Amino acid sequence: MEQKQLDNAALWLRIGLGLVFIIGGTSKLSLLLDSSTEAAMVANYMGTTGYINELFQDYLFSAGLLCPWTFLTTLSAFELLSGVALAAGFLVRPLSLFYGFLLWTFVVSLPVDTVPGASVGVSTYTSPAIFVQIRDITLSGMMFVLFNLGAGALSIDERLRSISGVASKNSQDWQTLGLLLRFSLGMTFIVAGFFSGYAKIPSFATHQLVLMVLGLIFIFAHGKTLKMGAVACVLVMIWFMLQKFSIDKSLIKNLNGVKREFALAAAAIVLVKLGGGNRFSLQDMLLRVKSYYLFNRAVSK
């Protein structure tokens, strides 16, 4: 794999991930800094259908040193600035490593009610948190891929490195990174394909069978089949964006509704261009099993 291809892959991932945080940060700040909408925005995040469960609310706010508005505004400002930095290729490795772990906190902080036959008596999430937030898990995997690739093409980090005379280390193994990227993307489609009929689980306005097949392709396929699946993924993302668009909403509201899909499309474009390697593909696993039994047979003789 040529370094130029890897640098371009990093560029695609940076742009896709950067857009997620630029759009999300802008949307939140526009509501939090408006006196007519700030209370509703805080209530939305702190409520039973919000994103911060009781444990984390107690942990963050019970001491009285931090209030929800300050927390959300600071977090949203950081989200916006870090999104711009990622898109521009500045501090890419520190930010991608930080977000790679941070995105998992959105899973553990989500308020859910999944006890069979019981109900808390209020409207809340009734699907497992990891299913509801599966796209954030995919984004986490993308962040770890980006961390290993580095800032890539057209980045401030690489320009600063060049000015300082520090040579880039070209030691990335795309077999491993491609595996992580296709598994990360595949899990979103596996969950969507098998569970999209349940509450708050993404469906991408697409038939479950299509999503299921795409998920299996990302997990098990390689070569042309994988690339065809990645092309189909981009088309599904475009279709979903068109379905979500509403002339009655502002531009930022429309974009906020599909911000994660920009990143998913970027990941799929990388797989179209570079493939996902063949490590732990169905063919590779069958060869491993065959080699294992042939080796054992030879040893036993």
Side-chain angles (χ1 to χ4, degrees), residues 67-127:
C67 72
W69 182 88
T70 302
F71 172 75
L72 290 173
T73 304
T74 303
L75 189 64
S76 300
F78 175 77
E79 184 178 353
L80 173 58
L81 293 174
S82 60
V84 172
L86 281 172
F90 181 59
L91 298 176
V92 170
R93 278 201 162 106
L95 286 173
S96 57
L97 182 62
F98 174 74
Y99 271 118
F101 290 105
L102 181 68
L103 285 161
W104 279 89
T105 66
F106 302 153
V107 176
V108 298
S109 67
L110 194 75
V112 295
D113 176 19
T114 58
V115 179
S119 175
V120 294
V122 295
S123 176
T124 190
Y125 296 96
T126 55
S127 299

Side-chain angles (χ1 to χ4, degrees), residues 115-255:
V115 179
S119 175
V120 294
V122 295
S123 176
T124 190
Y125 296 96
T126 55
S127 299
I130 197 168
F131 286 1
V132 176
Q133 301 288 64
I134 190 62
R135 289 173 298 176
D136 287 337
I137 304 306
T138 293
L139 297 186
S140 173
M142 291 174 62
M143 285 293 184
F144 287 122
V145 173
L146 183 58
F147 172 77
N148 282 276
L149 287 175
L154 304 178
S155 65
I156 295 174
D157 284 349
E158 286 301 317
R159 185 169 299 179
L160 293 175
R161 185 189 297 272
S162 177
I163 292 173
S164 62
V166 178
S168 298
K169 295 182 179 180
N170 304 331
S171 59
Q172 298 94 342
D173 174 18
W174 185 249
Q175 284 286 340
T176 301
L177 297 181
L179 171 68
L180 175 57
L181 187 60
R182 61 184 173 87
F183 266 42
S184 298
L185 195 55
M187 289 312 301
T188 284
F189 286 95
I190 289 290
V191 170
F194 282 93
F195 300 102
S196 63
Y198 293 92
K200 300 296 183 179
I201 295 177
S203 67
F204 303 110
T206 302
H207 195 281
Q208 283 183 260
L209 182 60
V210 175
L211 301 176
M212 193 184 308
V213 170
L214 282 176
L216 293 173
I217 286 174
F218 284 129
I219 298 295
F220 294 112
H222 72 286
K224 290 184 179 179
T225 304
L226 176 66
K227 291 187 176 184
M228 290 173 61
V231 170
C233 174
V234 174
L235 295 177
V236 168
M237 294 301 105
I238 294 172
W239 166 255
F240 179 63
M241 291 176 186
L242 293 175
Q243 292 297 305
K244 289 280 287 185
F245 177 80
S246 172
I247 197 170
D248 297 324
K249 295 180 181 179
S250 65
L251 175 62
I252 191 61
K253 284 185 177 180
N254 274 302
L255 291 174

